Amino acid sequence: MTNKYMYFIANWKMFGGLNSLNSLHKVVKFFKNFKNNKFSKIIYCPPNTLIRPMSKKLKFTNIEVGAQNCHENLSYGAFTGSVNSKMLKSVGAKYVIIGHSENRQEGETNKLINLKIKSALNSNLKVIFCIGETQKEKRKKITKQILNKQLSLGLHKIRNKKNIIIAYEPVWSIGTGLIPKSKQLFETISFIKNKNKSLKVLYGGSVNPKNIDQLKSISNIDGYLIGGASQDSKKFIDIIKKTYN
Ligand code: PGA
């Protein structure tokens, strides 16, 4: 049982077409009548192609929309295939995920992530900043060093952090069904919070209706970044409901 303000962020990754928006009404209806909706925030981060239609659909609801990445340049430019934070803002995004491990694996460096975060804040987007260690780093017992580095380089020279939310996502738990041991997760979240006082810290990686009972008992987590399970409205609603039960 929790009585804290919690975030539920849906990361749809490269999934979904216009017809996927049909399932949103279930979540809208649920959330409108949910007794704890004042203590929770739902944010959908669909692929860029769905930001506009989704934000139109969610306009008169208490659910917000975000993007999954952005280019670091604030002005238009010859960057084929890229979209910057201003463009995302202009089609209805209020948030953007930056530093997701799937992007880091494709070569996104801490330095680039820092530039992206700065550009997003400049465009008045709120940032969901992802950090997390790989399986190999975990085995080597260097998780704290890795997180420290990701945090200090990613947030370099960013003084005002009030529009940043951190999502701790161990790479080895994303899409694998594995989650960290409760004690370990509590300690890692505390470590992140001690370094960044007053920042909200979410957990992400295989969050689902089955493991939410275990996760919700970890008192310092401020919400969840949910991939796979967020594409299924029933599972997504179940996660939210169970968090408060
Ligand atoms: P998952 O993804 O819930 O499918 O593990 C989480 C994420 O990558 O943000």
Side-chain angles (χ1 to χ4, degrees), residues 176-240:
T176 58
L178 302 170
I179 60 168
K181 294 203 172 74
S182 300
K183 186 169 171 278
Q184 203 172 30
L185 186 49
F186 178 84
E187 279 172 15
T188 310
I189 301 274
S190 302
F191 172 77
I192 299 167
K193 287 195 163 179
N194 280 335
K195 293 200 63 63
N196 295 275
K197 303 249 156 35
S198 85
L199 284 199
K200 299 274 182 204
V201 182
L202 318 183
Y203 168 75
S206 295
V207 177
N208 64 40
K210 289 195 185 119
N211 57 28
I212 194 66
D213 284 334
Q214 183 189 334
L215 288 169
K216 78 177 183 202
S217 68
I218 303 166
S219 59
N220 55 0
I221 295 179
D222 298 304
Y224 310 102
L225 179 53
I226 307 161
S230 73
Q231 288 155 45
D232 179 327
S233 354
K234 190 182 169 318
K235 284 189 185 162
F236 194 49
I237 292 171
D238 263 7
I239 291 171
I240 301 170

Side-chain angles (χ1 to χ4, degrees), residues 40-56:
S40 36
K41 182 169 281 303
I42 299 183
I43 302 156
Y44 270 96
C45 299
N48 287 347
T49 45
L50 295 179
I51 291 178
R52 186 65 176 167
M54 190 185 263
S55 42
K56 276 188 176 169

Side-chain angles (χ1 to χ4, degrees), residues 64 68 122 124 145 158 171 181 184 201 235:
E64 294 186 299
Q68 298 172 13
N122 226 301
N124 286 318
Q145 274 155 267
I158 299 176
V171 182
K181 294 203 172 74
Q184 203 172 30
V201 182
K235 284 189 185 162

Side-chain angles (χ1 to χ4, degrees), residues 11 13 100 102 169 173-176 204-207 225-229:
N11 175 11
K13 311 194 179 192
H100 193 282
E102 284 153 13
E169 298 205 304
S173 87
I174 295 177
T176 58
S206 295
V207 177
L225 179 53
I226 307 161

